[in-house]
Amino acid sequence: KKPKEKKEWMPSNGVKAIGNVLLMVKRFTFSYNENMGTTLPGYMDSTRFLGMNNTNSMNPGIPFAFGMQPDRLWLESKGRDNVLTRDSLFNGQFQQQFSQSLNMTANLEPLKDFRIDLNLTKTFNKAHSELYKDTVGGGSEYVSLNPYETGGFSISYIAIKTMFQKTDRGELSRAFDNFENNRKIISERLGRINPYTGGQAAPEDEEFAKGYTRYAQDVLIPAFLSAYSGKDPKTYPLVETKNETIRSNPFKNILPMPNWRITYTGLSRTKAFRNIFQNFTLNHSYTGTLSMNSFNSALQYRDVYSLGFPSFIDSVSHNYIPYFMVPNMTLNEQFGPLLGIDATFKSGLNIRVEMKKGRQLSMSLIDYQLSETKSSEIQVGGGMRFKKVRVPIKYFGIDKLRSDVNAKLDFGLRDDRTSINRLDQRETRDTRGQKVITISPSIDYILNQNVTLRFFFDRRQSIPYVSNAYPITTTRGGLMIRFLLGQ
Protein backbone atom coordinates (compact mmCIF):
# COMPACT_ATOMS: atom_id res chain seq x y z
CA LYS A 1 0.00 0.00 0.00
CA LYS A 2 1.15 3.46 -0.84
CA PRO A 3 1.59 5.71 2.17
CA LYS A 4 -1.03 8.40 2.52
CA GLU A 5 0.09 11.80 1.36
CA LYS A 6 0.08 14.49 4.00
CA LYS A 7 -2.13 17.39 3.05
CA GLU A 8 -0.94 20.70 4.39
CA TRP A 9 -3.29 23.65 4.76
CA MET A 10 -2.40 26.51 2.42
CA PRO A 11 -3.80 29.98 3.03
CA SER A 12 -6.00 31.58 0.41
CA ASN A 13 -4.76 34.40 -1.79
CA GLY A 14 -6.52 36.93 0.43
CA VAL A 15 -4.71 35.68 3.54
CA LYS A 16 -1.41 35.75 1.66
CA ALA A 17 -1.98 39.34 0.63
CA ILE A 18 -2.75 40.39 4.19
CA GLY A 19 0.34 38.59 5.43
CA ASN A 20 2.54 40.31 2.85
CA VAL A 21 1.17 43.70 3.86
CA LEU A 22 1.85 42.99 7.52
CA LEU A 23 5.43 41.98 6.70
CA MET A 24 5.93 45.28 4.88
CA VAL A 25 4.88 47.32 7.93
CA LYS A 26 7.98 48.04 9.97
CA ARG A 27 6.36 50.50 12.33
CA PHE A 28 2.85 51.77 12.96
CA THR A 29 1.72 54.42 15.42
CA PHE A 30 -1.78 55.59 16.22
CA SER A 31 -2.65 58.52 18.43
CA TYR A 32 -6.14 59.81 19.17
CA ASN A 33 -6.82 62.51 21.75
CA GLU A 34 -9.94 64.24 22.97
CA ASN A 35 -10.13 67.12 25.43
CA MET A 36 -13.51 68.26 26.70
CA GLY A 37 -14.67 70.63 29.38
CA THR A 38 -17.88 72.20 30.68
CA THR A 39 -18.31 75.23 32.92
CA LEU A 40 -21.73 75.50 34.59
CA PRO A 41 -21.97 78.66 36.70
CA GLY A 42 -24.95 79.16 38.97
CA TYR A 43 -25.11 75.54 40.11
CA MET A 44 -26.75 75.62 43.56
CA ASP A 45 -26.85 72.00 44.69
CA SER A 46 -24.27 70.66 47.12
CA THR A 47 -21.37 68.44 46.04
CA ARG A 48 -20.09 65.66 48.26
CA PHE A 49 -18.89 62.21 47.26
CA LEU A 50 -17.40 62.20 43.69
CA GLY A 51 -18.73 65.73 43.16
CA MET A 52 -22.39 64.70 43.59
CA ASN A 53 -25.11 65.25 46.14
CA ASN A 54 -25.17 61.57 47.09
CA THR A 55 -27.51 62.07 50.04
CA ASN A 56 -30.45 63.52 48.14
CA SER A 57 -30.73 64.39 44.44
CA MET A 58 -27.59 62.66 43.08
CA ASN A 59 -27.03 65.79 40.98
CA PRO A 60 -25.26 66.51 38.69
CA GLY A 61 -25.22 62.77 37.95
CA ILE A 62 -22.66 59.97 37.66
CA PRO A 63 -22.05 60.42 33.89
CA PHE A 64 -21.29 64.12 34.35
CA ALA A 65 -19.01 63.42 37.32
CA PHE A 66 -16.99 60.99 35.17
CA GLY A 67 -16.55 63.34 32.23
CA MET A 68 -19.69 63.09 30.11
CA GLN A 69 -20.28 66.35 28.26
CA PRO A 70 -23.90 67.47 28.63
CA ASP A 71 -26.22 68.39 25.80
CA ARG A 72 -29.20 70.73 25.59
CA LEU A 73 -31.63 68.24 27.16
CA TRP A 74 -29.34 67.75 30.18
CA LEU A 75 -29.04 71.49 30.75
CA GLU A 76 -32.82 71.96 30.55
CA SER A 77 -33.36 69.08 32.99
CA LYS A 78 -31.18 70.82 35.60
CA GLY A 79 -33.35 73.89 35.23
CA ARG A 80 -36.45 71.83 35.88
CA ASP A 81 -34.77 70.25 38.93
CA ASN A 82 -34.30 73.76 40.40
CA VAL A 83 -30.56 73.27 40.95
CA LEU A 84 -29.63 76.40 38.95
CA THR A 85 -29.87 79.92 40.30
CA ARG A 86 -33.09 81.89 39.76
CA ASP A 87 -31.42 85.26 40.17
CA SER A 88 -32.47 87.48 37.24
CA LEU A 89 -29.23 89.48 37.58
CA PHE A 90 -27.07 86.40 37.09
CA ASN A 91 -24.80 86.72 34.02
CA GLY A 92 -22.36 83.80 34.20
CA GLN A 93 -22.03 82.05 30.83
CA PHE A 94 -22.48 78.31 30.31
CA GLN A 95 -19.36 77.24 28.39
CA GLN A 96 -18.14 74.09 26.68
CA GLN A 97 -14.90 73.26 24.89
CA PHE A 98 -14.02 70.28 22.72
CA SER A 99 -10.86 69.40 20.81
CA GLN A 100 -10.04 66.28 18.85
CA SER A 101 -6.80 65.18 17.20
CA LEU A 102 -5.91 62.10 15.20
CA ASN A 103 -2.43 61.15 14.04
CA MET A 104 -1.50 57.93 12.25
CA THR A 105 1.92 57.05 10.84
CA ALA A 106 3.13 53.91 9.13
CA ASN A 107 6.58 52.93 7.87
CA LEU A 108 6.48 50.37 5.07
CA GLU A 109 9.36 48.53 3.42
CA PRO A 110 8.01 46.44 0.51
CA LEU A 111 11.55 45.89 -0.83
CA LYS A 112 14.97 46.12 0.66
CA ASP A 113 16.17 49.76 0.83
CA PHE A 114 12.75 50.89 -0.43
CA ARG A 115 10.86 52.82 2.27
CA ILE A 116 7.42 54.40 2.29
CA ASP A 117 6.35 56.70 5.14
CA LEU A 118 2.63 57.42 5.42
CA ASN A 119 1.06 60.09 7.59
CA LEU A 120 -2.62 60.87 8.27
CA THR A 121 -3.78 63.74 10.50
CA LYS A 122 -7.01 65.35 11.61
CA THR A 123 -7.74 68.17 14.07
CA PHE A 124 -11.09 69.60 15.10
CA ASN A 125 -11.98 72.04 17.84
CA LYS A 126 -15.16 73.80 18.91
CA ALA A 127 -16.23 76.11 21.72
CA HIS A 128 -19.77 76.93 22.85
CA SER A 129 -21.01 79.72 25.10
CA GLU A 130 -24.44 81.01 26.08
CA LEU A 131 -26.25 82.72 28.93
CA TYR A 132 -28.75 80.25 30.38
CA LYS A 133 -30.79 82.03 32.99
CA ASP A 134 -34.16 82.89 34.50
CA THR A 135 -34.70 86.39 33.13
CA VAL A 136 -37.62 87.21 35.42
CA GLY A 137 -36.78 85.22 38.53
CA GLY A 138 -39.04 83.58 41.02
CA GLY A 139 -39.66 80.33 39.18
CA SER A 140 -40.24 81.27 35.54
CA GLU A 141 -38.77 79.27 32.71
CA TYR A 142 -35.09 79.44 31.79
CA VAL A 143 -34.13 80.89 28.43
CA SER A 144 -31.02 80.58 26.28
CA LEU A 145 -29.53 83.98 25.41
CA ASN A 146 -26.87 84.67 22.75
CA PRO A 147 -25.73 81.11 21.99
CA TYR A 148 -22.46 81.30 20.08
CA GLU A 149 -20.01 78.71 18.76
CA THR A 150 -16.60 78.90 17.11
CA GLY A 151 -14.32 76.21 15.78
CA GLY A 152 -11.64 75.02 13.38
CA PHE A 153 -11.08 71.98 11.18
CA SER A 154 -7.99 70.63 9.40
CA ILE A 155 -7.11 67.29 7.79
CA SER A 156 -4.45 65.78 5.59
CA TYR A 157 -5.87 65.66 2.08
CA ILE A 158 -5.14 64.58 -1.51
CA ALA A 159 -6.11 66.64 -4.57
CA ILE A 160 -3.39 65.79 -7.08
CA LYS A 161 -5.85 64.86 -9.86
CA THR A 162 -6.16 68.52 -10.82
CA MET A 163 -2.71 69.72 -9.80
CA PHE A 164 -1.06 69.04 -13.17
CA GLN A 165 -3.75 70.51 -15.40
CA LYS A 166 -2.18 72.76 -18.00
CA THR A 167 -3.53 76.30 -18.02
CA ASP A 168 -2.41 79.13 -20.26
CA ARG A 169 -1.80 82.48 -18.68
CA GLY A 170 -4.98 84.54 -18.52
CA GLU A 171 -7.29 81.53 -18.99
CA LEU A 172 -9.49 79.75 -16.45
CA SER A 173 -8.54 76.22 -15.50
CA ARG A 174 -10.70 73.20 -16.22
CA ALA A 175 -11.04 72.61 -12.46
CA PHE A 176 -12.50 76.10 -11.98
CA ASP A 177 -15.01 75.46 -14.77
CA ASN A 178 -16.02 72.23 -13.03
CA PHE A 179 -16.35 74.16 -9.77
CA GLU A 180 -18.88 76.52 -11.32
CA ASN A 181 -20.79 73.67 -12.97
CA ASN A 182 -20.84 71.49 -9.84
CA ARG A 183 -22.91 74.09 -8.00
CA LYS A 184 -26.08 73.09 -9.84
CA ILE A 185 -25.63 69.43 -8.92
CA ILE A 186 -24.98 70.18 -5.26
CA SER A 187 -27.91 72.60 -5.12
CA GLU A 188 -30.23 69.94 -6.54
CA ARG A 189 -29.07 67.40 -3.94
CA LEU A 190 -29.61 69.85 -1.08
CA GLY A 191 -33.02 70.87 -2.40
CA ARG A 192 -34.17 67.24 -2.33
CA ILE A 193 -33.11 66.48 1.25
CA ASN A 194 -34.15 69.76 2.91
CA PRO A 195 -37.85 69.41 3.80
CA TYR A 196 -38.23 73.20 3.94
CA THR A 197 -37.35 73.38 0.23
CA GLY A 198 -39.36 70.38 -0.95
CA GLY A 199 -37.67 70.28 -4.35
CA GLN A 200 -38.80 73.80 -5.30
CA ALA A 201 -36.69 75.97 -7.59
CA ALA A 202 -35.38 79.36 -6.54
CA PRO A 203 -37.72 82.08 -7.90
CA GLU A 204 -34.81 84.40 -8.70
CA ASP A 205 -32.69 81.67 -10.35
CA GLU A 206 -34.60 78.61 -11.54
CA GLU A 207 -31.42 76.66 -12.30
CA PHE A 208 -30.90 76.24 -8.55
CA ALA A 209 -33.02 74.94 -5.69
CA LYS A 210 -34.86 77.29 -3.38
CA GLY A 211 -32.53 78.60 -0.67
CA TYR A 212 -29.47 77.04 -2.36
CA THR A 213 -28.48 79.44 -5.12
CA ARG A 214 -25.10 79.75 -6.79
CA TYR A 215 -23.51 81.60 -3.85
CA ALA A 216 -24.92 79.54 -0.97
CA GLN A 217 -22.19 78.37 1.41
CA ASP A 218 -23.56 74.82 1.65
CA VAL A 219 -23.35 74.67 -2.15
CA LEU A 220 -19.91 76.20 -2.59
CA ILE A 221 -17.98 74.01 -0.13
CA PRO A 222 -18.74 70.57 -1.66
CA ALA A 223 -18.74 72.01 -5.19
CA PHE A 224 -15.25 73.42 -4.70
CA LEU A 225 -13.78 70.33 -3.03
CA SER A 226 -15.28 67.88 -5.52
CA ALA A 227 -13.97 69.93 -8.46
CA TYR A 228 -10.40 70.37 -7.24
CA SER A 229 -10.06 66.84 -5.87
CA GLY A 230 -11.40 65.39 -9.13
CA LYS A 231 -14.39 63.60 -7.57
CA ASP A 232 -18.01 63.16 -8.59
CA PRO A 233 -20.22 65.99 -7.22
CA LYS A 234 -23.19 63.60 -7.21
CA THR A 235 -21.64 61.55 -4.41
CA TYR A 236 -19.28 63.97 -2.68
CA PRO A 237 -20.11 64.43 1.06
CA LEU A 238 -22.26 67.40 1.99
CA VAL A 239 -21.82 69.67 4.99
CA GLU A 240 -23.58 68.29 8.07
CA THR A 241 -26.34 70.68 9.14
CA LYS A 242 -27.14 69.14 12.54
CA ASN A 243 -25.45 70.45 15.66
CA GLU A 244 -26.76 68.33 18.50
CA THR A 245 -23.80 68.35 20.92
CA ILE A 246 -20.41 69.97 21.42
CA ARG A 247 -18.88 66.99 19.59
CA SER A 248 -20.92 67.57 16.42
CA ASN A 249 -18.61 68.25 13.48
CA PRO A 250 -20.17 69.87 10.38
CA PHE A 251 -17.34 68.46 8.25
CA LYS A 252 -17.23 64.95 9.72
CA ASN A 253 -18.07 63.39 6.32
CA ILE A 254 -14.91 64.83 4.74
CA LEU A 255 -12.42 62.13 5.65
CA PRO A 256 -8.65 62.63 6.02
CA MET A 257 -6.33 61.06 3.45
CA PRO A 258 -2.72 59.93 3.92
CA ASN A 259 0.34 61.87 2.80
CA TRP A 260 3.52 60.06 1.93
CA ARG A 261 7.27 60.11 1.54
CA ILE A 262 9.13 57.53 -0.60
CA THR A 263 12.87 56.85 -0.38
CA TYR A 264 14.96 54.31 -2.30
CA THR A 265 18.66 53.82 -1.51
CA GLY A 266 19.38 50.42 -3.07
CA LEU A 267 20.38 51.45 -6.58
CA SER A 268 24.07 51.77 -5.69
CA ARG A 269 24.09 48.11 -4.61
CA THR A 270 23.04 46.74 -7.98
CA LYS A 271 25.61 45.21 -10.33
CA ALA A 272 25.18 47.94 -12.92
CA PHE A 273 25.93 50.81 -10.53
CA ARG A 274 27.99 49.46 -7.65
CA ASN A 275 31.25 50.39 -9.37
CA ILE A 276 30.01 53.90 -10.21
CA PHE A 277 28.26 55.21 -7.10
CA GLN A 278 29.12 55.21 -3.46
CA ASN A 279 25.58 56.24 -2.68
CA PHE A 280 22.50 56.90 -4.79
CA THR A 281 19.21 58.04 -3.21
CA LEU A 282 15.87 58.64 -4.87
CA ASN A 283 13.14 60.39 -2.91
CA HIS A 284 9.64 61.71 -3.46
CA SER A 285 7.08 63.20 -1.08
CA TYR A 286 3.60 64.68 -1.08
CA THR A 287 1.97 66.81 1.62
CA GLY A 288 -1.59 68.10 1.32
CA THR A 289 -3.80 69.82 3.89
CA LEU A 290 -7.38 71.04 3.87
CA SER A 291 -8.34 73.56 6.54
CA MET A 292 -11.43 75.57 7.47
CA ASN A 293 -10.35 77.79 10.31
CA SER A 294 -12.31 80.25 12.42
CA PHE A 295 -15.83 79.24 11.45
CA ASN A 296 -18.57 80.50 13.76
CA SER A 297 -22.30 80.07 14.32
CA ALA A 298 -24.81 82.42 12.70
CA LEU A 299 -27.15 84.27 15.04
CA GLN A 300 -29.89 84.31 12.37
CA TYR A 301 -30.01 80.53 11.97
CA ARG A 302 -33.47 79.03 12.41
CA ASP A 303 -34.85 75.50 12.30
CA VAL A 304 -38.54 76.10 12.94
CA TYR A 305 -39.70 72.48 13.25
CA SER A 306 -36.39 71.04 14.55
CA LEU A 307 -35.82 68.95 11.42
CA GLY A 308 -32.06 69.39 11.38
CA PHE A 309 -32.01 71.74 8.37
CA PRO A 310 -31.98 75.54 8.03
CA SER A 311 -35.38 77.14 7.46
CA PHE A 312 -34.70 80.90 7.37
CA ILE A 313 -33.89 82.41 3.95
CA ASP A 314 -32.01 85.70 3.91
CA SER A 315 -33.89 88.32 1.91
CA VAL A 316 -30.65 89.75 0.47
CA SER A 317 -28.75 86.62 -0.61
CA HIS A 318 -31.91 84.47 -1.10
CA ASN A 319 -30.07 81.61 0.60
CA TYR A 320 -30.65 79.67 3.79
CA ILE A 321 -28.65 80.95 6.75
CA PRO A 322 -26.49 77.93 7.75
CA TYR A 323 -25.72 77.09 11.35
CA PHE A 324 -21.99 77.67 10.82
CA MET A 325 -20.52 80.48 8.75
CA VAL A 326 -17.21 79.54 7.09
CA PRO A 327 -15.33 82.64 5.87
CA ASN A 328 -12.54 80.81 4.07
CA MET A 329 -11.26 77.35 3.17
CA THR A 330 -7.68 76.60 2.16
CA LEU A 331 -6.24 73.69 0.21
CA ASN A 332 -2.44 73.44 0.25
CA GLU A 333 -0.36 70.87 -1.67
CA GLN A 334 3.39 70.41 -1.91
CA PHE A 335 5.55 67.93 -3.77
CA GLY A 336 8.77 68.38 -1.82
CA PRO A 337 10.28 67.01 -3.92
CA LEU A 338 8.37 65.63 -6.85
CA LEU A 339 11.63 63.87 -7.70
CA GLY A 340 14.87 64.13 -5.79
CA ILE A 341 18.25 62.60 -6.62
CA ASP A 342 21.29 62.59 -4.34
CA ALA A 343 24.25 60.74 -5.84
CA THR A 344 27.85 60.37 -4.70
CA PHE A 345 30.30 58.91 -7.22
CA LYS A 346 33.32 56.82 -6.45
CA SER A 347 35.45 59.77 -7.46
CA GLY A 348 33.94 61.85 -4.65
CA LEU A 349 31.71 63.97 -6.87
CA ASN A 350 28.33 64.69 -5.29
CA ILE A 351 25.28 65.72 -7.35
CA ARG A 352 21.87 66.78 -6.04
CA VAL A 353 18.79 67.37 -8.19
CA GLU A 354 15.36 68.33 -6.85
CA MET A 355 12.17 69.16 -8.71
CA LYS A 356 9.45 70.69 -6.53
CA LYS A 357 5.89 71.66 -7.28
CA GLY A 358 3.23 73.28 -5.10
CA ARG A 359 -0.24 74.76 -5.15
CA GLN A 360 -2.27 76.76 -2.65
CA LEU A 361 -5.97 77.44 -3.11
CA SER A 362 -7.78 79.91 -0.87
CA MET A 363 -11.52 80.16 -1.49
CA SER A 364 -13.26 83.11 0.12
CA LEU A 365 -16.93 82.51 0.93
CA ILE A 366 -17.45 86.21 1.63
CA ASP A 367 -16.53 87.84 -1.70
CA TYR A 368 -16.70 84.56 -3.73
CA GLN A 369 -13.25 84.67 -5.27
CA LEU A 370 -10.52 82.05 -5.46
CA SER A 371 -6.86 82.91 -4.94
CA GLU A 372 -4.62 80.32 -6.58
CA THR A 373 -0.85 80.21 -6.15
CA LYS A 374 1.18 77.80 -8.27
CA SER A 375 4.89 77.25 -7.79
CA SER A 376 7.52 75.08 -9.42
CA GLU A 377 11.20 74.87 -8.64
CA ILE A 378 14.27 73.09 -9.95
CA GLN A 379 17.43 72.92 -7.86
CA VAL A 380 20.67 71.45 -9.18
CA GLY A 381 23.78 71.32 -7.06
CA GLY A 382 27.11 69.59 -7.05
CA GLY A 383 30.30 69.48 -5.12
CA MET A 384 33.64 67.73 -5.07
CA ARG A 385 36.56 67.53 -2.70
CA PHE A 386 40.04 67.65 -4.21
CA LYS A 387 42.67 66.34 -1.84
CA LYS A 388 46.17 67.70 -1.43
CA VAL A 389 45.94 70.40 -4.06
CA ARG A 390 49.27 72.13 -4.52
CA VAL A 391 49.19 75.93 -4.55
CA PRO A 392 52.47 77.74 -5.40
CA ILE A 393 52.28 80.53 -2.80
CA LYS A 394 54.42 81.35 0.19
CA TYR A 395 52.63 80.89 3.51
CA PHE A 396 54.50 81.16 6.83
CA GLY A 397 57.73 80.12 5.23
CA ILE A 398 56.22 77.28 3.21
CA ASP A 399 56.76 77.72 -0.51
CA LYS A 400 54.33 75.11 -1.76
CA LEU A 401 51.06 74.33 -0.01
CA ARG A 402 49.23 71.06 -0.32
CA SER A 403 45.72 71.12 1.09
CA ASP A 404 42.14 70.08 0.37
CA VAL A 405 39.80 72.11 -1.85
CA ASN A 406 35.99 71.90 -1.72
CA ALA A 407 34.28 73.14 -4.86
CA LYS A 408 30.50 73.63 -5.01
CA LEU A 409 28.02 74.90 -7.57
CA ASP A 410 24.28 75.44 -6.97
CA PHE A 411 21.74 76.50 -9.54
CA GLY A 412 18.04 77.17 -8.95
CA LEU A 413 15.03 78.20 -11.00
CA ARG A 414 11.76 79.04 -9.22
CA ASP A 415 8.47 80.11 -10.76
CA ASP A 416 5.66 81.53 -8.58
CA ARG A 417 2.37 82.95 -9.83
CA THR A 418 -0.76 84.01 -7.94
CA SER A 419 -4.03 84.67 -9.73
CA ILE A 420 -7.54 85.68 -8.69
CA ASN A 421 -10.59 83.96 -10.18
CA ARG A 422 -14.05 85.38 -9.48
CA LEU A 423 -17.15 83.24 -9.77
CA ASP A 424 -19.36 83.87 -12.83
CA GLN A 425 -17.09 86.59 -14.23
CA ARG A 426 -15.15 84.34 -16.60
CA GLU A 427 -11.84 86.05 -16.09
CA THR A 428 -8.62 85.52 -14.22
CA ARG A 429 -6.10 88.14 -13.19
CA ASP A 430 -2.52 87.79 -12.00
CA THR A 431 -1.92 89.64 -8.74
CA ARG A 432 1.69 88.74 -8.05
CA GLY A 433 4.41 86.34 -9.10
CA GLN A 434 7.93 86.14 -10.40
CA LYS A 435 10.62 83.95 -11.86
CA VAL A 436 13.75 83.70 -9.75
CA ILE A 437 17.08 82.47 -11.10
CA THR A 438 19.96 81.83 -8.71
CA ILE A 439 23.52 80.64 -9.25
CA SER A 440 26.01 80.19 -6.42
CA PRO A 441 29.52 78.77 -7.05
CA SER A 442 32.04 78.63 -4.20
CA ILE A 443 35.53 77.26 -3.46
CA ASP A 444 36.82 76.45 0.03
CA TYR A 445 40.57 76.04 0.47
CA ILE A 446 41.65 74.55 3.79
CA LEU A 447 45.06 75.97 4.67
CA ASN A 448 45.18 74.07 7.95
CA GLN A 449 42.82 73.00 10.72
CA ASN A 450 42.44 76.61 11.91
CA VAL A 451 42.42 78.66 8.69
CA THR A 452 40.07 78.33 5.71
CA LEU A 453 39.80 80.53 2.62
CA ARG A 454 36.46 80.78 0.86
CA PHE A 455 35.90 82.31 -2.58
CA PHE A 456 32.21 82.77 -3.34
CA PHE A 457 29.84 84.27 -5.88
CA ASP A 458 26.06 84.58 -5.56
CA ARG A 459 23.73 85.99 -8.19
CA ARG A 460 19.94 86.22 -7.85
CA GLN A 461 17.67 87.59 -10.55
CA SER A 462 13.88 88.00 -10.29
CA ILE A 463 11.56 88.64 -13.24
CA PRO A 464 8.03 89.73 -12.14
CA TYR A 465 4.76 88.76 -13.81
CA VAL A 466 2.82 91.92 -12.92
CA SER A 467 3.41 95.46 -14.13
CA ASN A 468 3.46 97.10 -10.68
CA ALA A 469 6.67 95.20 -9.76
CA TYR A 470 10.11 95.63 -11.26
CA PRO A 471 13.00 93.25 -11.99
CA ILE A 472 15.63 92.89 -9.28
CA THR A 473 19.13 91.53 -9.67
CA THR A 474 21.37 90.97 -6.66
CA THR A 475 25.02 90.01 -6.99
CA ARG A 476 27.46 89.22 -4.20
CA GLY A 477 30.97 87.88 -4.29
CA GLY A 478 34.26 87.99 -2.50
CA LEU A 479 36.84 86.30 -0.33
CA MET A 480 36.19 85.18 3.22
CA ILE A 481 38.86 84.06 5.68
CA ARG A 482 37.75 81.93 8.60
CA PHE A 483 39.96 81.64 11.69
CA LEU A 484 39.37 79.13 14.46
CA LEU A 485 41.01 80.26 17.69
CA GLY A 486 41.95 77.69 20.32
CA GLN A 487 42.49 73.98 20.23
Side-chain angles (χ1 to χ4, degrees), residues 284-407:
H284 161 80
S285 70
Y286 173 83
T287 302
T289 57
L290 169 64
S291 59
M292 303 179 191
N293 298 321
S294 302
F295 60 83
N296 58 274
S297 59
L299 298 177
Q300 294 178 313
Y301 173 81
R302 295 292 182 272
D303 182 4
V304 177
Y305 299 111
S306 300
L307 300 177
F309 291 90
S311 62
F312 175 70
I313 296 181
D314 182 27
S315 59
V316 177
S317 65
H318 305 290
N319 293 315
Y320 287 114
I321 300 295
Y323 188 90
F324 285 109
M325 303 295 293
V326 182
N328 182 275
M329 53 182 170
T330 303
L331 183 60
N332 196 344
E333 298 178 283
Q334 296 291 331
F335 280 104
L338 178 63
L339 176 63
I341 300 174
D342 190 348
T344 303
F345 292 81
K346 292 290 185 178
S347 61
L349 175 64
N350 177 260
I351 294 178
R352 301 177 308 279
V353 179
E354 281 191 344
M355 292 182 291
K356 299 180 180 180
K357 191 174 183 65
R359 177 176 67 169
Q360 182 175 358
L361 303 170
S362 181
M363 180 63 203
S364 173
L365 302 180
I366 298 177
D367 55 7
Y368 313 114
Q369 68 178 15
L370 172 66
S371 174
E372 182 175 5
T373 300
K374 292 183 178 180
S375 63
S376 60
E377 183 177 5
I378 297 177
Q379 293 181 342
V380 181
M384 189 167 183
R385 187 183 184 96
F386 301 92
K387 296 183 177 180
K388 297 182 179 180
V389 176
R390 178 173 148 180
V391 180
I393 62 175
K394 192 172 183 179
Y395 173 70
F396 292 121
I398 304 175
D399 293 334
K400 296 179 181 180
L401 289 174
R402 290 181 178 271
S403 188
D404 294 347
V405 174
N406 292 328

Side-chain angles (χ1 to χ4, degrees), residues 221-318:
I221 292 177
F224 170 77
L225 294 178
S226 61
Y228 279 90
S229 59
K231 296 184 178 180
D232 189 357
K234 297 180 181 180
T235 58
Y236 195 84
L238 302 176
V239 178
E240 183 65 45
T241 57
K242 297 180 181 179
N243 188 63
E244 299 173 346
T245 65
I246 189 65
R247 298 171 57 93
S248 299
N249 183 355
F251 312 111
K252 67 178 183 180
N253 297 323
I254 305 176
L255 301 179
M257 302 178 186
N259 299 157
W260 63 83
R261 184 174 186 83
I262 302 174
T263 305
Y264 180 60
T265 59
L267 196 62
S268 60
R269 295 184 177 88
T270 60
K271 292 182 179 180
F273 296 100
R274 67 177 56 174
N275 296 325
I276 302 176
F277 299 105
Q278 293 182 12
N279 179 52
F280 193 97
T281 302
L282 294 173
N283 57 79
H284 161 80
S285 70
Y286 173 83
T287 302
T289 57
L290 169 64
S291 59
M292 303 179 191
N293 298 321
S294 302
F295 60 83
N296 58 274
S297 59
L299 298 177
Q300 294 178 313
Y301 173 81
R302 295 292 182 272
D303 182 4
V304 177
Y305 299 111
S306 300
L307 300 177
F309 291 90
S311 62
F312 175 70
I313 296 181
D314 182 27
S315 59
V316 177
S317 65
H318 305 290

Side-chain angles (χ1 to χ4, degrees), residues 186-214 216 219 310-314 317-321:
I186 301 298
S187 176
E188 181 184 357
R189 292 175 58 190
L190 291 169
R192 289 198 307 264
I193 64 175
N194 190 336
Y196 297 109
T197 297
Q200 301 180 47
E204 61 281 349
D205 195 345
E206 295 184 355
E207 294 183 344
F208 293 86
K210 176 184 175 182
Y212 296 109
T213 65
R214 62 185 68 229
V219 172
S311 62
F312 175 70
I313 296 181
D314 182 27
S317 65
H318 305 290
N319 293 315
Y320 287 114
I321 300 295

Side-chain angles (χ1 to χ4, degrees), residues 68-84:
M68 184 273 298
Q69 300 304 301
D71 56 9
R72 169 62 50 185
L73 296 178
W74 182 93
L75 183 61
E76 292 176 353
S77 68
K78 298 311 167 187
R80 291 192 299 268
D81 293 342
N82 291 320
V83 296
L84 302 180

Side-chain angles (χ1 to χ4, degrees), residues 30-224:
F30 175 86
S31 174
Y32 179 79
N33 296 308
E34 285 189 357
N35 292 312
M36 298 171 283
T38 297
T39 302
L40 180 60
Y43 181 75
M44 304 298 291
D45 205 351
S46 62
T47 55
R48 294 167 60 85
F49 183 68
L50 293 178
M52 297 184 300
N53 185 356
N54 58 303
T55 61
N56 188 10
S57 63
M58 294 297 292
N59 277 316
I62 294 178
F64 182 83
F66 282 88
M68 184 273 298
Q69 300 304 301
D71 56 9
R72 169 62 50 185
L73 296 178
W74 182 93
L75 183 61
E76 292 176 353
S77 68
K78 298 311 167 187
R80 291 192 299 268
D81 293 342
N82 291 320
V83 296
L84 302 180
T85 180
R86 291 285 183 178
D87 187 354
S88 61
L89 300 179
F90 172 75
N91 61 357
Q93 285 191 330
F94 171 72
Q95 297 179 346
Q96 287 186 296
Q97 299 84 31
F98 175 75
S99 64
Q100 179 188 65
S101 64
L102 170 67
N103 191 359
M104 296 174 59
T105 60
N107 306 122
L108 311 179
E109 193 171 346
L111 301 173
K112 185 178 180 181
D113 300 322
F114 185 76
R115 181 173 176 175
I116 303 175
D117 299 323
L118 302 176
N119 183 36
L120 183 145
T121 60
K122 174 186 176 182
T123 60
F124 171 68
N125 64 84
K126 193 165 69 170
H128 171 85
S129 64
E130 65 175 274
L131 185 59
Y132 189 71
K133 62 180 293 185
D134 184 348
T135 56
V136 179
S140 63
E141 293 185 358
Y142 289 87
V143 294
S144 177
L145 302 177
N146 299 327
Y148 188 70
E149 292 189 355
T150 60
F153 175 75
S154 178
I155 57 173
S156 55
Y157 201 70
I158 299 176
I160 58 177
K161 286 187 178 181
T162 61
M163 191 174 183
F164 295 93
Q165 291 181 358
K166 293 184 178 180
T167 306
D168 294 333
R169 187 177 177 184
E171 294 184 0
L172 295 172
S173 65
R174 187 167 67 253
F176 189 80
D177 289 336
N178 293 335
F179 172 30
E180 292 187 327
N181 296 330
N182 288 354
R183 293 178 297 173
K184 297 179 182 179
I185 300 174
I186 301 298
S187 176
E188 181 184 357
R189 292 175 58 190
L190 291 169
R192 289 198 307 264
I193 64 175
N194 190 336
Y196 297 109
T197 297
Q200 301 180 47
E204 61 281 349
D205 195 345
E206 295 184 355
E207 294 183 344
F208 293 86
K210 176 184 175 182
Y212 296 109
T213 65
R214 62 185 68 229
Y215 299 121
Q217 174 186 288
D218 290 344
V219 172
L220 292 177
I221 292 177
F224 170 77

